[in-house]
Structure formats: structure tokens, C-alpha cells
Amino acid sequence: MEVAVNLELKTLNVKQDITFYNTSNDSLDTIVLNDWNNAFSDKNTPLAKRFSDEFYRGFHVAKEEERGSTTILNLSDSNEIPFEWERPSKNPDFIIVKLKQKLAPNEKIELHLDYISKIPSDKFTHYGFDQNGGMNLKNWFLSPARYEDHQFTKYNNFNLDDIANAATDYKIAIKIPNNYSIATDLNLAATDLTNPQWSVYSYSGDNRTDFNIVIEKQNNFESYTNGSIEILSNLKTKKLDNIQKAIIINRVVTFASAFIGKYPHEKITISQADYDRNPFYGLNQLPSFISPFSDEFIFEITFLKTYLHNYLKNSLRIDPRKDSWVHDGIQIYTMMKYMEENHLDQKMLGSLSNMKIFKSYNIANLTFNEQYSYYYMLMARKNLDQPLGDPKNTLIKFNEQIASKYRAGLSLSYLDDYLNHDIVPESIQEFYDLNKKQQADRSDFEKILTKKSPKDINWFFKTIIDSRDIIDYKFSHVSRTKDSVQFSIKNKTGIYAPIPVYGIKKNEVVFKNWIEPKNTDTVYTFERKNADKIVLNYDNEVPEYNLRNNWKSLKSLAITNRPIKFNFAKDLEDPYYNQILYIPTLTYNYYDGFTPGIRFHNKTILDKPFTFDINPAYSIKAGTLSGSSAFSLNHYYRNSTFYNVRYSISQNYYHYAPDATYLRLNPMVQLRIREENFRDNRKQLILLRQVIVNREASQFITDNSKPNYSVFNARYVNTKTELVDHFNFMSDVQFSGDFGKISGEVEYRRLLENNHKLNLRLFAGSFIYNTTNSDYFSFGLDRPTDYLFDYNFLGRSESTGIFSQQYVIAEGGFKSKIEPRYANQWMATLNASYALWNWVEVYGDLGFVKNKHLKSDFAYDSGVRLNLVPDYFELYFPVYSNNGWEISQPKYSEKIRFVVTFAPRTLVTLFTRKWF
């Protein structure tokens, strides 16, 4: 390639010659070239849809000049005769070149190309042009795709850094302005500095699938040499000098070379952009002034993770998408071995583990390597884990970036422990050497492991790699004498996997033996060695679902009673204690005032089947006790779209009026349904509940409604939400002694091509029967009466004042208060809004309200909506409605409506939806 860089236009003018050798046994009539830079060309590419799925807004609202594209000017053969080629409309990130005649095995063909690569902004993926006028180039050129299993690998760019290029020899000449420099992992072949304005640098690299080029004014890369490899790094660290960094880099590079194998190229780049794309998630990401780790350790773990990632990515000639678990497994497993050798005593919480205040926390006692298991188990307990062998593009974000990576490394560590610590490292080295000679895949790695193993390990690939089956063992019978211990094992899930048994005496391991519990009636006998406790999977080598049933005391074989341990705020699950967590709370409503309390619960970081949450409180304004509680039982179905059933009962006791309290009991069953594709954002919910409400009589409330009532409610919700499109459908049925009603709601949001957002909502509801003599159970046009006490109203009984202006998007959905405000027969409304600029929208509502013995009323309103945080913080300013020009009427400030949400759990979903 000859590449002329235009830093003003953010383009590369490329003249490229490809000599393509058919090394397969097939005759080819097409050649596929990857063109991943063109994935940034518009808002409808697979990459753009991926961004939308993950709620990343930056790409869709970006300016046109911030996007990338590839414009092909010429594609011809050695005789300058143009090839026929196509770029599929649904797959704009690769092109298919149609050959004039078939290319037989061992033959070659030449392709000549001229094209312009318009480089995207680095704010989308960390690669591209930056704000300082430089470029970090990745996947910017046309490259032959990997050929395997009689076909070219046609992958879309999903921002996974897993382009499947064929191994290639490169020769590149890059022309840049004289005041710029280049950092690259290619080998410098020649320089031409004769022109006063331009410099031309020539590079080469053989047998590569990818390479890095960084162009910048100020060269921020520092060079370090270790044996035959040069390391170029610009990782940020302000508090370490070059000597300190060189010592750490030398230690990491030396370890990787000895543990995995010699790096096949002469140079490697380790950039801050590479790390920012795949950081080490944990406490080392905290700001330096509160970090529990030293600057040296943070730089070391940062460099270690990034170096191993690039080291393996540039060396392993596997399919980086289909076989990603191999790369991730070797990377994390090597990191674990490195930590064992260099930081064996390092804790997950770093220096915090040494503070007395944290001594009682289980999380403070975990070693650094033990955290990997908990990140994986976080997803397994949510029933969101996925098979390691699944392609990378099918994984939800948290699995792709964290949980599956960590479990892959844990799995190799598990196999290594089971095979006595020599088979797995030797297999990695042999597989690594194989990749230097030929294109490889996971089957090659599996063959090497199987060949070297003295035991049958087919279970490892079948269960650990290619399934999401969970492992869970417990002791079914234990007896002991002074010198021996006998026990049998119960397999709770029916999934076979070897597991270690430990003997523990005063928290010290006195024996460890691996068992293979293929038969449930097998009785195992081991020498006791004065052990006072036997524990399955004590060091968590096996990715086991539940560790709380893994131990038995040998002091007394009666049912083991775990002592209760109180901890402030949060902790990791402790297998040996019943944990009760507590934290102060503060809530507010107009009648109770500020309500301080203390919350007792057992919700550790990992989800568990049974949870309780008890929150006694004191209402300062009312001078009475109040509070809430909830108890729930979760049951997960692992291999079904019908994946979760939750049984729960909750209780709330607060004031609903200045002089009256309410007690609500809410027994409920929720059934959750998801798509087979875990990345699909569609979720379905079936809810069945009985809401029982007892209200004290109040002199302020005179609506003639019954103070005590019970309502059966069945609800179905079907929602699919992403950045560009949001769709939600809800149907609702309610039955009580005095009324029965049915309603439905459809909501649709769309981020249009012009970056304006359209919101539509349709509601319709009707009574089946209604013998009440008040509007307490009626449909509300502008505000629901909330007789089920579902909404967090600050002043639910207020008809005037600021608290009466609180708005909840429910039922009629109007913003203006229009008479009649309620419907005791039926109601149908349409709500719409359109964004004019950013969060400034115009809205309009129209609908019909029908009350018994009266004609239906037509209602409408309109105004301006400030949609600051959708569904969480919004303001509505009425302009015109049935009431006339509201903006010119007296006391206009009392007509303004607001949406506000303070609930932390609700706000957290703004962030977790990007991951789960």
C-alpha cells in the first residue's frame, strides 16, 4: 500500500496491490475483502444497530464529518481491466470481488485498488481521529478475509475488535506531514525525509492478520526492549518514572514469553486506547486519591492485561469471533498464574483489606484471583450467563467484556488443577507454536489437551465450554472416626464434573483430593488428618453455582447452623454465615415528612433464591412508626425462554393523608419470558397479584369510597427497547367486589434520521362493571388516583399546591387538568410528543372520556415538554387545551407538571441496561 494521509480531511488516499494466493483445496470464483471502515458510513449499518442495542447514543447523533466510510475508485486486475464487485446493502463492511475465471488451488491473482478511507472519530470505539489532530488507525484498509471450511468468513463490524483477516505479508509506505510522527508494530524498512513538507515511512510485516498505526504530533510512545522484542507503550501513569515502568514491563514480557512462547514479531504496541477498550474491571479503576492499590500495581495490571491481549491477538491465527474463548481463556489464565507468582498475597480490595473496618467482610478476605469467579457468578445467578463456546457477537455486553472472559480463564485453571498443573501450560505452548506455522482453530487446542491428558476430559468441552449447565454438589451423608472421614455426594443438577474435597483444621488445609462423583451412591473414605471441617470446592476451582451447601463440620454432624453476621451496606455472599446487611434510609412524602429508617436485608452482590428486605422507619412529621418490607422467592429455568418465576409478598405502611395511614399487602407472582437470543432486548412479563388496602378514615378525604378494599390484578407486558426504537405493550385486568375493568396501552418511541425523537402512546380502558359511587376507582385523564398504591406520589391526596402537579405517565396521560378529569365507564387517549432540539419537545394529547349517563367528552391539550431524563426527570408547560390559552391565564405556575424519580433502583437501570 501507498498511503497519503490528509489530517485536515481525516482521510487516507490508498493505492493498494494485493497478491492473493489460493492456499485452500477449493477453486474460488470470488474473493471477499473486509472493509470494516465502511461500517461507520451511516445509521443503518450492522454496527450502528449494535450501538443502538447497547444504548450508545454518540454514533446516532454524531455529525456527518465524524463518521467514516470507504470510497472505492478503482478495482482491477494486473491488466487494469476492472473487476465486477459488490458491497451487499445489508453488509456494507465487506465487498465481494467476482473473478473472471476460477482461481485453482496453489494459483495466485493480483488485485489493484485505489480508494479513499474516511476515518471516523475515535469517540465511537477509541480508534480513529482524535481531538489533537492525530489518528489511531484500526481496520482502515481493505484486507482479504479468512478462508475456512470451504468459504470466506463474512463478519460484520460490531465493535468487537475481532476482524477475521487472512494471514498476510505487508509492505506499506505512509506519507504524512513533517511535524507528525508514527508509532506502529510493523518493522521500519526505509524513510524519505527529503521533502520539506512531507515524510514517507516504509514498513513491512510478515504473516500478520492485523497491525496498529498511530499518527500524532507529539510522540507519546516510549520504547522498551526485552530480548528480541521492542515494546511501544503510551499507557498513562503520572507517578512512575521510566525505570519503574521498565522493570514492570520487563517482568511481564519475560513471564509471557516463558509461559506462553516467543512472540513471533519484532515489535508490539500497547496503547491507552487498547486498554480503554478492554480495561480491568475492578477497584483499580477508582480515582487515584481513593485507590486501594499502589501506582506500581495499577500500572502493572493495566500493562499485563493489555499486553497479553495484544500478544495473543497478534499471534493466534484462530477465528477471533468463533473461537474467542480460546484467546480469552489463555489471557486470563496467564494473568492468574502471573499473580500467583508475583502477587500471591494481593487481595481483591487491596489495602482496604488491612483496615479493621472491613475485616468482617467476606469480600475483604478474597484474593485478587478469586474475584474472577464472582464476576462470572454474578451473571449465572441472574440466569444471564452464556456458553463459552458461543460466538463473541452473540454475547451480551457484560459477558463479552467481563464474565465470559473470566470464566474462560477460570475454566483452564480448573482443568489445570484437575490435571496436576502441567498438562494445560504445556498444551498452551504447543498450541501457540502451532499458530506460528498454520491457521488454527479451537479443535486444534482441544486435540492437544486431549492427547496430553492422562484422563478423559470430554466432559470439560461438553459441559464447561459448550453449555451453560450449572454444577452444584452437596454432601448427602458424612460420618467420621478419629482417623478417617466417610461421605457421599449429592449431585443437585445432574451435571457431571470432577470436584475437589478439602479437609480444614482451624482454617488451614490439611488434605485435598479430587473426586469424580459419577455415581450418587459412591462412598468416599479419606484419612482425616485431624480435620474439623470438610469442604467441597474450598478454593472455588470449580465454577459452582452454590457454595453455601459445600461444607460439614466434623465436630458435630448435626445440621449445621450458620451463625448470623451483620454487615453494613453490601458484601459478597459468605458460605459460612447467614448475613444480614443494614443501611440507613431516608424517604419523604408530604404527610410523613422526612422518614429516617434502617433497612435490614440479605441481598448480597450475588442474587440468591430467597431474599428479605425489612425497612422500619419513623415519620418525623406524623410522629409515628412507618416502613415497608418485602419477601421474595426466585426460581430460574435455565433452558427455557420462560426463565424466571418470582413469588413475593410486600407490605407498606405510610400516611396517605395528613391524619390517616394506609396499609398495603401485595402478594404477587411474576413470570418472565425472554428471547432465545440473549442479546434481543425484548422482554415479556406476566404478573398476577392481589392488592389488599386498609385505610384509616380521614376528615380530609370525602370521596365516598370504601376505606378498605381488595383488588385482583393480572397484567401482561411486552417490551422491546433500544436507543433508536422503543416499543411497549401492556394489557391490564382488575377485579374487585365493586368493579371490574380492562385496559391496554401501546407506547412507541423512535429516534429519527434527523436525530429528533417521536413519542406516541395510545391508551384505552373500559369498565366491565362498576357499582361504585365515587371516582376513586375511575380512569384518570391527567393523573391516576393510584388506589393500588403503585406510584411514588409525594402528595397523593393533594388537589392543589406543588404536590398536586406531580405527573405520572399512566392512564389518560394528559398534562392539563381538564374537566371531566375521570371516567367511570371508558376512556381512550393518544399522547404524542416530538423533539425540536435535544431535550426540548412539543407535545399534544387528545382523547374521549365517557361517564355513565353522560355523552362522551372530547379532550385535547398541547404544550412544551423538557425531556431532561426520559421517565426520570421531565417538565411539562401547557400552552393550549380545552381550557383555552393556558399560558396567558392566571396562576400559570400551578399548571406546570413535573416527573421526578428518586428511587435508586430505578435510576440504576439507566446504566445497567447497557450491560445486561
Side-chain angles (χ1 to χ4, degrees):
M1 287 183 282
E2 295 178 2
V3 183
V5 179
N6 189 325
L7 291 163
E8 290 186 8
L9 298 178
K10 315 295 191 296
T11 60
L12 308 177
N13 293 335
V14 184
K15 181 178 177 60
Q16 180 173 341
D17 298 328
I18 298 175
T19 304
F20 183 89
Y21 292 84
N22 183 5
T23 57
S24 74
N25 296 322
D26 303 325
S27 293
L28 308 178
D29 53 13
T30 62
I31 294 175
V32 175
L33 301 179
N34 287 322
D35 185 14
W36 277 23
N37 189 65
N38 202 58
F40 297 89
S41 56
D42 62 54
K43 301 179 184 180
N44 299 304
T45 66
L47 176 63
K49 293 175 181 176
R50 182 89 171 190
F51 283 142
S52 177
D53 286 346
E54 295 180 350
F55 298 93
Y56 172 65
R57 195 168 185 267
F59 184 75
H60 285 78
V61 300
K63 299 175 182 177
E64 189 60 34
E65 57 266 26
E66 292 178 313
R67 295 199 178 90
S69 63
T70 304
T71 304
I72 298 178
L73 307 174
N74 174 59
L75 203 170
S76 60
D77 62 14
S78 56
N79 297 317
E80 298 186 358
I81 300 175
F83 281 108
E84 185 180 347
W85 61 274
E86 66 173 346
R87 177 184 280 132
S89 58
K90 294 184 178 180
N91 302 288
D93 36 19
F94 59 80
I95 66 173
I96 300 172
V97 182
K98 300 178 181 178
L99 304 181
K100 301 179 179 71
Q101 59 186 31
K102 287 194 173 184
L103 186 66
N106 300 316
E107 289 187 349
K108 66 179 180 179
I109 190 171
E110 292 187 3
L111 286 72
H112 300 278
L113 302 96
D114 294 288
Y115 56 93
I116 299 173
S117 287
K118 182 173 178 292
I119 304 303
S121 168
D122 67 350
K123 70 180 184 180
F124 307 136
T125 67
H126 296 288
Y127 298 132
F129 70 82
D130 60 37
Q131 297 302 310
N132 299 319
M135 291 182 178
N136 191 333
L137 298 177
K138 196 78 168 179
N139 304 326
W140 52 272
F141 58 92
L142 294 169
S143 54
R146 177 187 179 98
Y147 190 86
E148 188 177 31
D149 296 331
H150 311 294
Q151 61 183 346
F152 284 98
T153 302
K154 300 175 183 177
Y155 285 161
N156 296 121
N157 183 354
F158 288 134
N159 188 29
L160 298 173
D161 197 16
D162 60 349
I163 191 167
N165 289 333
T168 304
D169 296 341
Y170 293 97
K171 291 183 179 178
I172 302 175
I174 304 180
K175 178 183 175 183
I176 61 170
N178 274 340
N179 57 333
Y180 281 80
S181 62
I182 293 178
T184 179
D185 51 354
L186 295 173
N187 301 318
L188 182 63
T191 57
D192 182 354
L193 308 177
T194 56
N195 190 294
Q197 293 182 317
W198 301 93
S199 300
V200 179
Y201 298 89
S202 297
Y203 298 96
S204 65
D206 292 344
N207 199 27
R208 303 186 67 111
T209 56
D210 202 2
F211 57 86
N212 298 309
I213 291 179
V214 180
I215 301 170
E216 51 188 1
K217 270 188 179 180
Q218 181 78 29
N219 187 356
N220 293 312
F221 283 83
E222 297 170 341
S223 175
Y224 304 88
T225 303
N226 179 283
S228 60
I229 180 173
E230 180 185 3
I231 301 96
L232 299 174
S233 174
N234 70 342
L235 291 179
K236 296 175 183 177
T237 176
K238 295 180 180 179
K239 299 183 179 180
L240 300 186
D241 58 37
N242 283 339
I243 294 177
Q244 291 172 301
K245 288 190 286 188
I247 292 171
I248 292 170
I249 289 172
N250 182 70
R251 183 160 62 235
V252 171
V253 172
T254 301
F255 181 88
S257 181
F259 191 77
I260 300 174
K262 186 177 182 297
Y263 189 64
H265 309 298
E266 296 177 18
K267 295 168 65 178
I268 187 171
T269 56
I270 309 299
S271 70
Q272 186 64 39
D274 294 333
Y275 177 74
D276 290 340
R277 282 183 56 85
N278 291 285
F280 188 93
Y281 294 93
L283 290 175
N284 56 298
Q285 290 181 292
L286 292 172
S288 58
F289 66 91
I290 57 173
S291 174
F293 298 101
S294 67
D295 297 313
E296 289 85 353
F297 181 78
I298 291 176
F299 178 78
E300 187 168 4
I301 201 72
T302 300
F303 182 82
L304 173 66
K305 189 173 193 292
T306 313
Y307 179 77
L308 289 175
H309 175 82
N310 290 1
Y311 185 88
L312 293 168
K313 187 174 183 295
N314 295 336
S315 305
L316 298 181
R317 291 166 58 183
I318 58 174
D319 185 321
R321 178 168 295 178
K322 186 177 67 175
D323 299 334
S324 61
W325 78 266
V326 178
H327 172 284
D328 296 339
I330 296 175
Q331 179 195 18
I332 301 301
Y333 171 68
T334 305
M335 289 181 66
M336 295 173 70
K337 289 298 183 183
Y338 179 88
M339 293 299 296
E340 288 176 7
E341 182 171 306
N342 295 280
H343 301 282
L344 183 61
D345 297 327
Q346 182 65 265
K347 298 292 186 180
M348 178 180 175
L349 292 189
S351 59
L352 297 181
S353 295
N354 299 323
M355 299 175 64
K356 287 185 178 180
I357 192 173
F358 294 113
K359 284 294 184 181
S360 64
Y361 286 82
N362 187 39
I363 193 172
N365 298 315
L366 295 183
T367 65
F368 195 84
N369 280 346
E370 284 180 295
Q371 68 183 298
Y372 297 120
S373 177
Y374 284 93
Y375 278 110
Y376 154 68
M377 195 54 63
L378 180 71
M379 299 303 281
R381 291 284 186 90
K382 293 180 182 293
N383 203 6
L384 288 173
D385 56 309
Q386 295 171 269
L388 294 180
D390 280 6
K392 192 175 183 179
N393 63 304
T394 65
L395 304 179
I396 59 179
K397 187 174 180 180
F398 193 94
N399 286 334
E400 180 260 315
Q401 294 206 359
I402 306 175
S404 290
K405 286 178 180 287
Y406 290 175
R407 191 190 173 192
L410 287 165
S411 298
L412 288 181
S413 179
Y414 169 26
L415 187 63
D416 177 39
D417 203 314
Y418 173 64
L419 297 178
N420 294 323
H421 303 289
D422 53 359
I423 304 300
V424 172
E426 291 175 6
S427 298
I428 289 174
Q429 292 179 356
E430 185 173 329
F431 179 68
Y432 187 80
D433 288 337
L434 177 69
N435 277 263
K436 295 178 182 178
K437 305 169 188 174
Q438 67 183 54
Q439 187 169 279
D441 58 32
R442 61 169 281 183
S443 65
D444 296 307
F445 187 45
E446 292 172 6
K447 288 175 185 175
I448 293 171
L449 282 168
T450 303
K451 180 186 67 177
K452 287 184 173 294
S453 173
K455 304 176 184 179
D456 179 8
I457 57 172
N458 286 330
W459 58 269
F460 178 79
F461 306 111
K462 179 182 176 182
T463 301
I464 305 300
I465 304 301
D466 288 327
S467 82
R468 59 190 300 267
D469 294 333
I470 57 175
I471 301 165
D472 191 10
Y473 290 112
K474 65 177 289 187
F475 291 109
S476 62
H477 173 73
V478 177
S479 62
R480 84 287 194 225
T481 66
K482 181 179 179 181
D483 301 319
S484 68
V485 57
Q486 287 187 330
F487 59 89
S488 54
I489 297 293
K490 181 179 180 181
N491 187 337
K492 297 192 67 178
T493 61
I495 304 302
Y496 163 75
I499 193 164
V501 178
Y502 288 81
I504 307 297
K505 181 177 176 59
K506 295 181 180 178
N507 295 324
E508 296 291 332
V509 176
V510 293
F511 70 78
K512 174 186 176 182
N513 295 291
W514 281 89
I515 61 173
E516 301 179 23
K518 295 180 179 178
N519 300 314
T520 56
D521 57 353
T522 302
V523 177
Y524 302 91
T525 303
F526 292 126
E527 185 181 351
R528 182 171 174 177
K529 297 183 179 179
N530 296 320
D532 54 33
K533 184 191 301 179
I534 59 170
V535 185
L536 293 169
N537 199 21
Y538 180 72
D539 277 340
N540 211 0
E541 298 95 332
V542 182
E544 197 178 5
Y545 189 74
N546 182 15
L547 299 178
R548 288 176 60 80
N549 56 10
N550 279 23
W551 63 281
K552 283 282 187 180
S553 171
L554 298 180
K555 295 178 180 177
S556 170
L557 295 181
I559 296 175
T560 303
N561 291 315
R562 296 181 180 86
I564 293 177
K565 180 169 70 172
F566 288 87
N567 283 123
F568 178 75
K570 277 284 189 181
D571 193 11
L572 274 178
E573 186 175 275
D574 192 328
Y576 307 109
Y577 290 89
N578 286 318
Q579 294 158 288
I580 296 179
L581 307 169
Y582 62 93
I583 189 169
T585 61
L586 182 65
T587 59
Y588 176 83
N589 71 59
Y590 183 51
Y591 314 114
D592 290 293
F594 286 102
T595 308
I598 186 166
R599 177 182 169 217
F600 298 93
H601 65 96
N602 69 333
K603 297 178 182 179
T604 55
I605 295 172
L606 300 182
D607 289 359
K608 55 182 59 176
F610 173 75
T611 60
F612 66 84
D613 196 326
I614 302 172
N615 188 184
Y618 180 75
S619 302
I620 293 178
K621 186 174 182 179
T624 62
L625 292 175
S626 60
S628 63
S629 65
F631 304 85
S632 65
L633 182 65
N634 272 297
H635 184 76
Y636 286 110
Y637 296 90
R638 298 281 299 174
N639 300 308
S640 173
T641 55
F642 177 75
Y643 79 105
N644 171 242
V645 179
R646 173 179 291 182
Y647 308 90
S648 65
I649 183 169
S650 61
Q651 168 268 327
N652 302 82
Y653 182 72
Y654 293 101
H655 282 77
Y656 76 97
D659 60 343
T661 61
Y662 75 91
L663 171 66
R664 182 184 85 148
L665 295 177
N666 183 20
M668 180 166 55
V669 179
Q670 295 180 74
L671 302 91
R672 298 179 183 273
I673 303 168
R674 67 179 172 201
E675 301 300 301
E676 290 186 10
N677 175 12
F678 281 25
R679 283 194 59 84
D680 194 321
N681 288 335
R682 183 180 301 281
K683 300 292 186 293
Q684 298 177 70
L685 169 70
I686 299 172
L687 180 149
L688 305 171
R689 62 175 177 166
Q690 189 77 30
V691 181
I692 304 163
V693 177
N694 289 332
R695 297 184 296 162
E696 285 184 341
S698 169
Q699 63 177 346
F700 295 94
I701 306 298
T702 57
D703 58 11
N704 298 320
S705 62
K706 289 185 177 181
N708 304 325
Y709 53 88
S710 177
V711 180
F712 172 76
N713 180 210
R715 185 174 294 174
Y716 168 72
V717 181
N718 186 326
T719 181
K720 183 178 175 70
T721 185
E722 57 188 54
L723 179 71
V724 173
D725 281 302
H726 166 82
F727 171 83
N728 182 73
F729 169 76
M730 182 182 73
S731 60
D732 187 90
V733 178
Q734 298 177 21
F735 290 104
S736 182
D738 296 324
F739 73 89
K741 64 198 301 189
I742 184 170
S743 64
E745 176 185 313
V746 178
E747 183 182 15
Y748 178 71
R749 298 178 188 167
R750 172 77 178 181
L751 181 63
L752 304 176
E753 286 284 330
N754 60 5
N755 293 332
H756 291 189
K757 184 178 287 186
L758 175 67
N759 299 266
L760 297 172
R761 177 180 174 273
L762 178 66
F763 171 83
S766 175
F767 279 88
I768 302 171
Y769 59 91
N770 184 4
T771 61
T772 63
N773 58 0
S774 77
D775 278 324
Y776 186 66
F777 299 104
S778 297
F779 295 110
L781 184 63
D782 66 88
R783 170 165 159 149
T785 58
D786 194 29
Y787 52 86
L788 297 181
F789 290 85
D790 284 336
Y791 304 115
N792 186 27
F793 279 119
L794 298 176
R796 63 178 54 253
S797 299
E798 297 304 292
S799 57
T800 59
I802 184 67
F803 294 115
S804 70
Q805 295 171 236
Q806 184 179 355
Y807 175 69
V808 169
I809 304 171
E811 297 185 354
F814 271 57
K815 290 77 184 177
S816 296
K817 298 177 181 179
I818 299 168
E819 295 296 337
R821 295 182 65 185
Y822 302 99
N824 60 24
Q825 190 168 352
W826 59 263
M827 175 186 289
T829 60
L830 175 66
N831 316 121
S833 65
Y834 180 76
L836 297 176
W837 175 81
N838 283 350
W839 34 264
V840 179
E841 303 180 8
V842 291
Y843 72 80
D845 307 311
L846 57 88
F848 291 89
V849 177
K850 177 68 171 70
N851 284 286
K852 290 185 290 186
H853 313 304
L854 297 173
K855 290 183 179 180
S856 61
D857 289 278
F858 176 68
Y860 62 90
D861 71 359
S862 61
V864 176
R865 174 190 189 189
L866 301 186
N867 191 8
L868 302 173
V869 184
D871 301 332
Y872 298 91
F873 184 53
E874 306 174 10
L875 293 173
Y876 293 87
F877 297 87
V879 175
Y880 188 75
S881 71
N882 294 69
N883 300 326
W885 288 98
E886 300 199 42
I887 197 167
S888 63
Q889 295 173 359
K891 298 182 179 180
Y892 178 74
S893 61
E894 296 179 7
K895 299 176 180 289
I896 299 170
R897 307 294 293 273
F898 65 90
V899 173
V900 63
T901 299
F902 296 118
R905 294 180 198 170
T906 308
L907 294 171
V908 162
T909 59
L910 277 174
F911 306 98
T912 57
R913 65 184 185 175
K914 298 180 180 182
W915 291 94
F916 303 140

